[in-house]
Amino acid sequence: MCSDPGTATPTVMIDNDRVRVTEWRFAKRGDNTGWHRHAFDYIVVPLFDGVLEIDLGNGERVTAPMQNGVPYFRELGVEHDVINGNDFECAFVEVELLEPKPG
């Protein structure tokens, strides 16, 4: 998934024909996933209260507030680098939906 490795640690927890579940752990402020494009629809479940900084490319960076346990959904095609914007370790679980949408 990542074309440019970052400093965050991905741990694949489940990987089968239907889903891939990965925990992304950011040990310190500034740790990042690396620039990547999502090939599948996905759900993210934050494991912390705080913020992530999202580098969208072309110098555009946004701050995304996270709430522990409150998931969000994105469709395939999203391109970005996700960065820890907190002064503490944080993590989220990413669930990629490997099957195409029905119909």
Side-chain angles (χ1 to χ4, degrees):
M1 180 177 80
C2 289
S3 60
D4 177 24
T7 53
T9 304
T11 303
V12 176
M13 303 166 83
I14 299 171
D15 192 359
N16 61 39
D17 292 340
R18 299 178 66 197
V19 299
R20 181 179 305 119
V21 179
T22 306
E23 179 195 69
W24 283 93
R25 186 156 296 275
F26 305 76
K28 62 186 182 317
R29 178 181 281 277
D31 280 353
N32 67 312
T33 59
W35 185 258
H36 60 282
R37 180 181 184 278
H38 286 269
F40 304 100
D41 291 349
Y42 66 100
I43 298 153
V44 168
V45 183
L47 302 176
F48 68 101
D49 291 324
V51 297
L52 292 174
E53 296 176 6
I54 312 297
D55 182 350
L56 300 171
N58 300 322
E60 184 179 359
R61 188 179 281 200
V62 298
T63 300
M66 299 286 121
Q67 187 176 350
N68 187 22
V70 178
Y72 63 88
F73 170 83
R74 297 288 183 269
E75 292 187 345
L76 71 118
V78 173
E79 294 184 76
H80 58 205
D81 185 12
V82 179
I83 304 149
N84 181 1
N86 306 285
D87 290 327
F88 54 83
E89 180 180 47
C90 66
F92 61 79
V93 173
E94 175 184 81
V95 180
E96 295 176 278
L97 307 174
L98 305 181
E99 294 182 333
K101 282 189 224 181

